[in-house]
Amino acid sequence: MYLGSSTLAASQDRVDPLHGAAPRMPPPRPVTVVAVTQDDPFFTGRFFESFFATTGGGRVRLLEIVLLRNFNESRLALLKRFQRLYGTADLTRLLARYGAARLRDFAGRPRSVEALAAKAGIPVRHLASINDEAYLRTLGERDVDVLLSVSAPEIFRAGALHATPHAINIHNGKLPFYRGMMPTFWALLHNEPEVTITVHTMVEKLDAGLVLAEYRVPITPADSQFDLSARAKEVAGREVARLLARLDTPEWPVPTSVDMSRKRYFKFPTPADVAQLRAKGKRML
């Protein structure tokens, strides 16, 4: 039988006429989380800044952040990827923003994941792969409840998916319609009124798990792809922290399936896709 919060509180305060006040139920134990992500001062940093602000002193305990290589490729390959995506002018502006964010790290006003974690006292571990079997065994040894993927640049194999009781991904797109890479870009290109942050369980098939929650982020006419991605990450950090605090309580949502017969998958945008976005009067930065 489901007990709502008011009913539960009343049952805890009920007085037994023979034995006096009933003992209060102990508070639920902390929810232990290991997050897997990549480090950048633009988007994943926004997620963790919001996440830390919401979990401070609460039930959710982030034990560790695992950092993988950005896009799981070398810095030179990453620079070439961004050159193709943004073009020379926007890439120059992006690099200037990157430099400013790194200066903020050094000045004690962190924006990168690693600097934010250091300020919050959260250990960071650099791994070549989240599918490292030796590392995955440590999750069970530490009784980790949730393995949380935050823009992790690698597919989680079966060992990682079953290393903790819950393997959860945060996807900045409505499923199954915006599976794949950079869903905020595709939503903006397709003139969507909003971006949907989907929190779902992870299974071996990409972006095909059960949906736990959805959070809508309106798209404004002034939004660039950069602005929209950053704001979506801020919302996701706050709402996911609140969601995880409900784990193992009656308020934890009932997972729902998605209709995979309506699935679409989007690859990383090409220069032609970016040109189409700009032709609509929309901006990358």
Side-chain angles (χ1 to χ4, degrees):
M1 180 178 68
Y2 171 80
L3 291 176
S5 57
S6 59
T7 305
L8 182 59
S11 69
Q12 292 173 348
D13 293 336
R14 190 175 295 126
V15 176
D16 184 326
L18 295 178
H19 302 96
R24 286 185 175 273
M25 294 176 62
R29 70 177 184 82
V31 176
T32 53
V33 181
V34 166
V36 186
T37 189
Q38 53 188 317
D39 197 1
D40 78 77
F42 303 133
F43 309 124
T44 53
R46 301 287 180 92
F47 175 92
F48 285 99
E49 187 173 26
S50 180
F51 187 89
F52 292 154
T54 307
T55 57
R59 184 178 173 227
V60 178
R61 291 177 53 199
L62 184 59
L63 300 182
E64 183 176 73
I65 296 175
V66 173
L67 286 181
L68 306 176
R69 284 197 311 178
N70 289 359
F71 283 91
N72 202 23
E73 60 190 18
S74 70
R75 290 186 179 181
L76 179 58
L78 186 63
L79 185 62
K80 290 180 179 179
R81 176 190 288 271
F82 284 167
Q83 168 66 37
R84 291 192 299 271
L85 178 66
Y86 287 101
T88 302
D90 271 355
L91 179 61
T92 300
R93 286 190 280 269
L94 185 68
L95 291 174
R97 292 186 187 186
Y98 179 84
R102 288 303 185 193
L103 287 175
R104 287 175 62 96
D105 281 353
F106 291 123
R109 294 175 294 160
R111 299 311 297 266
S112 67
V113 174
E114 192 153 17
L116 285 162
K119 185 175 181 179
I122 306 297
V124 169
R125 185 188 299 258
H126 292 264
L127 284 182
S129 171
I130 189 54
N131 299 302
D132 182 323
E133 293 182 4
Y135 174 73
L136 293 174
R137 284 195 293 271
T138 72
L139 302 180
E141 293 165 359
R142 290 180 284 167
D143 293 323
V144 175
D145 296 309
V146 179
L147 190 60
L148 182 68
S149 170
V150 184
S151 299
E154 184 180 26
I155 294 174
F156 288 47
R157 302 301 179 188
L161 297 176
H162 298 100
T164 59
H166 303 272
I168 295 174
N169 182 52
I170 302 142
H171 183 72
N172 283 355
K174 176 77 173 177
L175 295 179
F177 310 105
Y178 283 98
R179 298 168 63 242
M181 302 187 74
M182 288 186 66
T184 50
F185 172 89
W186 298 107
L188 196 62
L189 179 64
H190 295 157
N191 301 313
E192 298 285 4
E194 62 191 15
V195 164
T196 299
I197 299 165
T198 306
V199 184
H200 64 93
T201 63
M202 285 194 286
V203 294
E204 292 192 55
K205 192 171 184 178
L206 192 65
D207 295 334
L210 299 176
V211 173
L212 296 169
E214 293 179 331
Y215 307 102
R216 291 173 175 81
V217 180
I219 299 175
T220 72
D223 278 333
S224 68
Q225 194 276 329
F226 186 99
D227 296 334
L228 183 59
S229 295
R231 192 166 72 252
K233 281 290 190 290
E234 289 176 0
V235 172
R238 179 181 68 244
E239 297 301 334
V240 169
R242 292 172 176 171
L243 175 67
L244 292 177
R246 296 157 55 192
L247 186 66
D248 295 330
T249 75
E251 285 75 35
W252 185 248
V254 176
T256 59
S257 60
V258 296
D259 182 2
M260 293 302 289
S261 67
R262 304 171 69 190
K263 67 183 179 182
R264 294 185 300 179
Y265 183 87
F266 292 93
K267 296 182 179 180
F268 195 81
T270 66
D273 297 322
V274 174
Q276 187 180 354
L277 181 80
R278 288 174 174 148
K280 292 185 175 186
K282 300 179 181 182
R283 297 174 296 115
M284 290 295 290
L285 292 181

